[in-house]
């Protein structure tokens, strides 16, 4: 999977101590998630639908 055009942004829920998750959702058909402390490390990829379901689930009380 080619993520070279990914535009990464830090999660609004990331901590101020460097415990950050970055998300790239600008690519068609894929959402990338990575650890900001290791930007050249592994990337989890999701379909946009699966990512939306994950985010919705994490917002549930």
């Amino acid at each position: 999977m080619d993520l070279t055009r990914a535009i990464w942004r830090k999660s609004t829920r990331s901590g101020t101590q460097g415990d950050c998750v970055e998300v790239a959702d600008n690519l068609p058909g894929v959402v990338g998630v990575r650890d900001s402390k290791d930007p050249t490390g592994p990337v989890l990829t999701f379909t946009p639908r699966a990512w939306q379901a994950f985010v919705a689930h994490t917002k549930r009380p």
Side-chain angles (χ1 to χ4, degrees):
M1 180 162 302
D2 183 15
L3 297 173
T4 57
R5 294 185 180 174
I7 298 173
W8 297 96
R9 61 181 173 80
K10 288 187 180 176
S11 168
T12 57
R13 299 276 184 176
S14 293
T16 58
Q17 310 248 329
D19 300 327
C20 300
V21 172
E22 292 180 327
V23 177
D25 55 5
N26 66 301
L27 302 171
V30 66
V31 175
V33 180
R34 71 180 183 185
D35 182 346
S36 66
K37 295 183 301 291
D38 189 10
T40 60
V43 175
L44 296 173
T45 57
F46 300 87
T47 64
R49 186 175 184 173
W51 181 249
Q52 290 169 353
F54 171 77
V55 171
H57 184 75
T58 62
K59 290 181 178 182
R60 290 185 189 156

